[in-house]
Amino acid sequence: MTEVVDREGAIAPAGLARPAPEVAPDLLGCTLVRRLPNGQQWRGRIVETEAYGPGDPACHAYRRRTPRNRVMFGPAGGVYVYLIYGIHHCLNVVTDQDGVPSAVLIRALEVLDAPAGVGLPLGKRRDRLAAGPGKLCRLFEIDRTLSETHFDPTAPLSLEWGPTPDAITQTTRIGLTQGVDTPWRWYVTTSPAVSKYAS
DNA sequence: TGAAGGATTTGT
DNA sequence: CAAATCCTTCAC
């Protein structure tokens, strides 16, 4: 038995095979790792997430299974990336049991490490480089070519457990036209990288 | 085959 | 507050 109790090391699919509203707050404080084709990597601390699940009108898989959302019906640990407003990409972690359409949207990161040679701004500017789902995908070079891959330590994207944040705020999700009252957004209360509307 | 609209960001 | 911009989904 591999109980996930110490929040150390790589996040295995078993750690994600739970309902999205359980996984979403657990991912706060964890690390997203993006490996580039040249071997360099980005690392970021997850500070804001949202959950989407079955029976949820805001979920892309609410109506039916389609070519775009099919990875959400697959096993936990899948990567779901979609293009929004024709401009921005959004990164999701597929959760729950195989056959249950659900995912956690990664909405904001604190940048921990950049590829060698990439000069990051200092101070306050750097704080918010990845403060938003579209911004973090642009920075980490994440697009739809990574959708339907799998979070894994040998893959372009992986997740690592990290310390539980001191304080977490739970509230409603952002930018939706449906399911606006479902409180499935979580963020690290004190993080400067949380996206807009942090109340 | 066409049209409406979106889990966003940025600048006016 | 509106533009940017294109893919997905649903209607006809």
mmCIF file of all heavy atoms in Angstrom, chain A residues 63-64 66 68 85-87, chain C residues 4-10:
data_model
loop_
_atom_site.group_PDB
_atom_site.id
_atom_site.type_symbol
_atom_site.label_atom_id
_atom_site.label_comp_id
_atom_site.label_asym_id
_atom_site.label_seq_id
_atom_site.Cartn_x
_atom_site.Cartn_y
_atom_site.Cartn_z
ATOM 1 N N ARG A 63 -22.007 17.931 -21.020
ATOM 2 C CA ARG A 63 -23.028 17.462 -21.960
ATOM 3 C C ARG A 63 -22.740 16.056 -22.483
ATOM 4 O O ARG A 63 -23.556 15.167 -22.378
ATOM 5 C CB ARG A 63 -23.147 18.423 -23.143
ATOM 6 C CG ARG A 63 -23.731 19.777 -22.749
ATOM 7 C CD ARG A 63 -23.698 20.742 -23.931
ATOM 8 N NE ARG A 63 -24.348 22.007 -23.611
ATOM 9 C CZ ARG A 63 -25.657 22.203 -23.734
ATOM 10 N NH1 ARG A 63 -26.425 21.221 -24.168
ATOM 11 N NH2 ARG A 63 -26.188 23.366 -23.421
ATOM 12 N N ARG A 64 -21.593 15.903 -23.037
ATOM 13 C CA ARG A 64 -21.266 14.617 -23.645
ATOM 14 C C ARG A 64 -19.765 14.508 -23.824
ATOM 15 O O ARG A 64 -19.033 15.491 -23.736
ATOM 16 C CB ARG A 64 -21.961 14.447 -24.999
ATOM 17 C CG ARG A 64 -21.337 15.318 -26.074
ATOM 18 C CD ARG A 64 -22.107 15.302 -27.372
ATOM 19 N NE ARG A 64 -23.280 16.172 -27.300
ATOM 20 C CZ ARG A 64 -24.527 15.714 -27.221
ATOM 21 N NH1 ARG A 64 -24.747 14.420 -27.227
ATOM 22 N NH2 ARG A 64 -25.536 16.556 -27.154
ATOM 23 N N THR A 66 -16.660 14.309 -26.104
ATOM 24 C CA THR A 66 -16.312 14.828 -27.428
ATOM 25 C C THR A 66 -14.819 14.606 -27.661
ATOM 26 O O THR A 66 -14.080 14.261 -26.727
ATOM 27 C CB THR A 66 -16.606 16.336 -27.524
ATOM 28 O OG1 THR A 66 -15.699 17.035 -26.671
ATOM 29 C CG2 THR A 66 -18.041 16.660 -27.128
ATOM 30 N N ARG A 68 -12.539 16.749 -27.913
ATOM 31 C CA ARG A 68 -11.746 17.637 -27.073
ATOM 32 C C ARG A 68 -11.671 17.162 -25.632
ATOM 33 O O ARG A 68 -10.594 17.139 -25.034
ATOM 34 C CB ARG A 68 -12.323 19.062 -27.117
ATOM 35 C CG ARG A 68 -11.524 20.025 -26.242
ATOM 36 C CD ARG A 68 -12.051 21.450 -26.265
ATOM 37 N NE ARG A 68 -13.350 21.596 -25.610
ATOM 38 C CZ ARG A 68 -13.831 22.756 -25.167
ATOM 39 N NH1 ARG A 68 -13.115 23.862 -25.319
ATOM 40 N NH2 ARG A 68 -15.009 22.824 -24.608
ATOM 41 N N TYR A 85 -10.879 31.393 -25.833
ATOM 42 C CA TYR A 85 -10.968 32.701 -26.486
ATOM 43 C C TYR A 85 -9.990 32.827 -27.647
ATOM 44 O O TYR A 85 -9.565 33.937 -27.985
ATOM 45 C CB TYR A 85 -10.747 33.812 -25.457
ATOM 46 C CG TYR A 85 -11.753 33.778 -24.338
ATOM 47 C CD1 TYR A 85 -11.353 33.646 -23.016
ATOM 48 C CD2 TYR A 85 -13.110 33.861 -24.621
ATOM 49 C CE1 TYR A 85 -12.291 33.602 -21.985
ATOM 50 C CE2 TYR A 85 -14.047 33.810 -23.604
ATOM 51 C CZ TYR A 85 -13.648 33.682 -22.292
ATOM 52 O OH TYR A 85 -14.570 33.631 -21.293
ATOM 53 N N GLY A 86 -9.622 31.694 -28.235
ATOM 54 C CA GLY A 86 -8.747 31.721 -29.393
ATOM 55 C C GLY A 86 -7.334 32.159 -29.117
ATOM 56 O O GLY A 86 -6.532 32.299 -30.033
ATOM 57 N N ILE A 87 -7.004 32.391 -27.860
ATOM 58 C CA ILE A 87 -5.717 32.987 -27.533
ATOM 59 C C ILE A 87 -4.960 32.236 -26.449
ATOM 60 O O ILE A 87 -3.761 32.011 -26.575
ATOM 61 C CB ILE A 87 -5.911 34.448 -27.045
ATOM 62 C CG1 ILE A 87 -6.635 35.265 -28.095
ATOM 63 C CG2 ILE A 87 -4.566 35.076 -26.686
ATOM 64 C CD1 ILE A 87 -6.917 36.686 -27.658
ATOM 65 P P DA C 4 -9.498 43.790 -32.629
ATOM 66 O OP1 DA C 4 -8.736 44.667 -33.522
ATOM 67 O OP2 DA C 4 -10.778 43.195 -33.072
ATOM 68 O "O5'" DA C 4 -8.532 42.633 -32.134
ATOM 69 C "C5'" DA C 4 -7.494 42.933 -31.212
ATOM 70 C "C4'" DA C 4 -6.870 41.635 -30.744
ATOM 71 O "O4'" DA C 4 -7.579 41.131 -29.578
ATOM 72 C "C3'" DA C 4 -6.935 40.527 -31.796
ATOM 73 O "O3'" DA C 4 -5.732 39.795 -31.789
ATOM 74 C "C2'" DA C 4 -8.099 39.659 -31.326
ATOM 75 C "C1'" DA C 4 -7.975 39.798 -29.814
ATOM 76 N N9 DA C 4 -9.225 39.569 -29.083
ATOM 77 C C8 DA C 4 -10.505 39.765 -29.528
ATOM 78 N N7 DA C 4 -11.423 39.484 -28.641
ATOM 79 C C5 DA C 4 -10.708 39.077 -27.526
ATOM 80 C C6 DA C 4 -11.099 38.648 -26.248
ATOM 81 N N6 DA C 4 -12.359 38.542 -25.854
ATOM 82 N N1 DA C 4 -10.125 38.318 -25.382
ATOM 83 C C2 DA C 4 -8.847 38.421 -25.769
ATOM 84 N N3 DA C 4 -8.359 38.817 -26.948
ATOM 85 C C4 DA C 4 -9.348 39.132 -27.789
ATOM 86 P P DT C 5 -5.269 39.093 -33.115
ATOM 87 O OP1 DT C 5 -3.813 38.946 -32.992
ATOM 88 O OP2 DT C 5 -5.860 39.786 -34.283
ATOM 89 O "O5'" DT C 5 -5.941 37.665 -32.973
ATOM 90 C "C5'" DT C 5 -5.536 36.810 -31.906
ATOM 91 C "C4'" DT C 5 -6.370 35.542 -31.953
ATOM 92 O "O4'" DT C 5 -7.658 35.767 -31.337
ATOM 93 C "C3'" DT C 5 -6.639 35.038 -33.373
ATOM 94 O "O3'" DT C 5 -6.533 33.640 -33.404
ATOM 95 C "C2'" DT C 5 -8.060 35.471 -33.623
ATOM 96 C "C1'" DT C 5 -8.659 35.318 -32.237
ATOM 97 N N1 DT C 5 -9.890 36.113 -31.972
ATOM 98 C C2 DT C 5 -10.406 36.110 -30.695
ATOM 99 O O2 DT C 5 -9.895 35.496 -29.788
ATOM 100 N N3 DT C 5 -11.533 36.846 -30.541
ATOM 101 C C4 DT C 5 -12.206 37.575 -31.511
ATOM 102 O O4 DT C 5 -13.225 38.190 -31.233
ATOM 103 C C5 DT C 5 -11.609 37.534 -32.820
ATOM 104 C C7 DT C 5 -12.239 38.289 -33.918
ATOM 105 C C6 DT C 5 -10.500 36.807 -32.979
ATOM 106 P P DC C 6 -6.015 33.013 -34.836
ATOM 107 O OP1 DC C 6 -4.538 32.991 -34.821
ATOM 108 O OP2 DC C 6 -6.733 33.624 -35.955
ATOM 109 O "O5'" DC C 6 -6.523 31.517 -34.680
ATOM 110 C "C5'" DC C 6 -6.371 30.837 -33.417
ATOM 111 C "C4'" DC C 6 -7.562 29.922 -33.223
ATOM 112 O "O4'" DC C 6 -8.630 30.627 -32.553
ATOM 113 C "C3'" DC C 6 -8.168 29.415 -34.533
ATOM 114 O "O3'" DC C 6 -8.670 28.116 -34.345
ATOM 115 C "C2'" DC C 6 -9.386 30.315 -34.700
ATOM 116 C "C1'" DC C 6 -9.814 30.349 -33.244
ATOM 117 N N1 DC C 6 -10.831 31.364 -32.911
ATOM 118 C C2 DC C 6 -11.618 31.165 -31.769
ATOM 119 O O2 DC C 6 -11.415 30.160 -31.080
ATOM 120 N N3 DC C 6 -12.569 32.069 -31.458
ATOM 121 C C4 DC C 6 -12.749 33.140 -32.244
ATOM 122 N N4 DC C 6 -13.701 33.993 -31.895
ATOM 123 C C5 DC C 6 -11.957 33.360 -33.403
ATOM 124 C C6 DC C 6 -11.019 32.455 -33.702
ATOM 125 P P DC C 7 -7.789 26.860 -34.824
ATOM 126 O OP1 DC C 7 -6.378 27.211 -34.637
ATOM 127 O OP2 DC C 7 -8.313 26.464 -36.143
ATOM 128 O "O5'" DC C 7 -8.179 25.722 -33.771
ATOM 129 C "C5'" DC C 7 -8.040 25.994 -32.390
ATOM 130 C "C4'" DC C 7 -9.307 25.619 -31.655
ATOM 131 O "O4'" DC C 7 -10.287 26.683 -31.706
ATOM 132 C "C3'" DC C 7 -9.994 24.371 -32.196
ATOM 133 O "O3'" DC C 7 -10.240 23.502 -31.111
ATOM 134 C "C2'" DC C 7 -11.300 24.890 -32.801
ATOM 135 C "C1'" DC C 7 -11.560 26.134 -31.970
ATOM 136 N N1 DC C 7 -12.354 27.181 -32.664
ATOM 137 C C2 DC C 7 -13.466 27.745 -32.013
ATOM 138 O O2 DC C 7 -13.768 27.327 -30.888
ATOM 139 N N3 DC C 7 -14.171 28.717 -32.628
ATOM 140 C C4 DC C 7 -13.812 29.131 -33.848
ATOM 141 N N4 DC C 7 -14.535 30.105 -34.407
ATOM 142 C C5 DC C 7 -12.689 28.575 -34.524
ATOM 143 C C6 DC C 7 -11.998 27.612 -33.910
ATOM 144 P P DT C 8 -10.668 21.993 -31.384
ATOM 145 O OP1 DT C 8 -9.744 21.166 -30.616
ATOM 146 O OP2 DT C 8 -10.864 21.770 -32.833
ATOM 147 O "O5'" DT C 8 -12.099 21.935 -30.681
ATOM 148 C "C5'" DT C 8 -12.247 22.551 -29.408
ATOM 149 C "C4'" DT C 8 -13.714 22.701 -29.102
ATOM 150 O "O4'" DT C 8 -14.261 23.821 -29.822
ATOM 151 C "C3'" DT C 8 -14.561 21.488 -29.467
ATOM 152 O "O3'" DT C 8 -15.318 21.125 -28.338
ATOM 153 C "C2'" DT C 8 -15.416 21.961 -30.631
ATOM 154 C "C1'" DT C 8 -15.504 23.456 -30.383
ATOM 155 N N1 DT C 8 -15.685 24.300 -31.589
ATOM 156 C C2 DT C 8 -16.591 25.354 -31.532
ATOM 157 O O2 DT C 8 -17.263 25.597 -30.550
ATOM 158 N N3 DT C 8 -16.668 26.095 -32.682
ATOM 159 C C4 DT C 8 -15.958 25.910 -33.852
ATOM 160 O O4 DT C 8 -16.123 26.650 -34.805
ATOM 161 C C5 DT C 8 -15.041 24.801 -33.837
ATOM 162 C C7 DT C 8 -14.236 24.506 -35.058
ATOM 163 C C6 DT C 8 -14.949 24.056 -32.716
ATOM 164 P P DT C 9 -16.144 19.803 -28.325
ATOM 165 O OP1 DT C 9 -16.026 19.236 -26.983
ATOM 166 O OP2 DT C 9 -15.807 18.994 -29.517
ATOM 167 O "O5'" DT C 9 -17.613 20.390 -28.485
ATOM 168 C "C5'" DT C 9 -17.961 21.521 -27.694
ATOM 169 C "C4'" DT C 9 -19.297 22.066 -28.130
ATOM 170 O "O4'" DT C 9 -19.141 22.882 -29.302
ATOM 171 C "C3'" DT C 9 -20.336 20.985 -28.483
ATOM 172 O "O3'" DT C 9 -21.547 21.291 -27.833
ATOM 173 C "C2'" DT C 9 -20.443 21.069 -30.000
ATOM 174 C "C1'" DT C 9 -20.114 22.531 -30.254
ATOM 175 N N1 DT C 9 -19.541 22.828 -31.594
ATOM 176 C C2 DT C 9 -19.891 23.998 -32.224
ATOM 177 O O2 DT C 9 -20.652 24.808 -31.726
ATOM 178 N N3 DT C 9 -19.303 24.191 -33.443
ATOM 179 C C4 DT C 9 -18.430 23.339 -34.093
ATOM 180 O O4 DT C 9 -17.972 23.626 -35.186
ATOM 181 C C5 DT C 9 -18.105 22.128 -33.379
ATOM 182 C C7 DT C 9 -17.168 21.141 -33.992
ATOM 183 C C6 DT C 9 -18.678 21.939 -32.179
ATOM 184 P P DC C 10 -22.694 20.248 -27.726
ATOM 185 O OP1 DC C 10 -23.120 20.182 -26.318
ATOM 186 O OP2 DC C 10 -22.307 19.028 -28.450
ATOM 187 O "O5'" DC C 10 -23.828 20.989 -28.551
ATOM 188 C "C5'" DC C 10 -24.124 22.353 -28.246
ATOM 189 C "C4'" DC C 10 -24.915 22.957 -29.384
ATOM 190 O "O4'" DC C 10 -24.043 23.166 -30.521
ATOM 191 C "C3'" DC C 10 -26.063 22.060 -29.871
ATOM 192 O "O3'" DC C 10 -27.205 22.852 -30.089
ATOM 193 C "C2'" DC C 10 -25.525 21.486 -31.169
ATOM 194 C "C1'" DC C 10 -24.675 22.648 -31.671
ATOM 195 N N1 DC C 10 -23.641 22.261 -32.645
ATOM 196 C C2 DC C 10 -23.316 23.135 -33.664
ATOM 197 O O2 DC C 10 -23.866 24.235 -33.706
ATOM 198 N N3 DC C 10 -22.373 22.763 -34.571
ATOM 199 C C4 DC C 10 -21.793 21.570 -34.497
ATOM 200 N N4 DC C 10 -20.880 21.248 -35.394
ATOM 201 C C5 DC C 10 -22.140 20.649 -33.455
ATOM 202 C C6 DC C 10 -23.061 21.033 -32.564
#
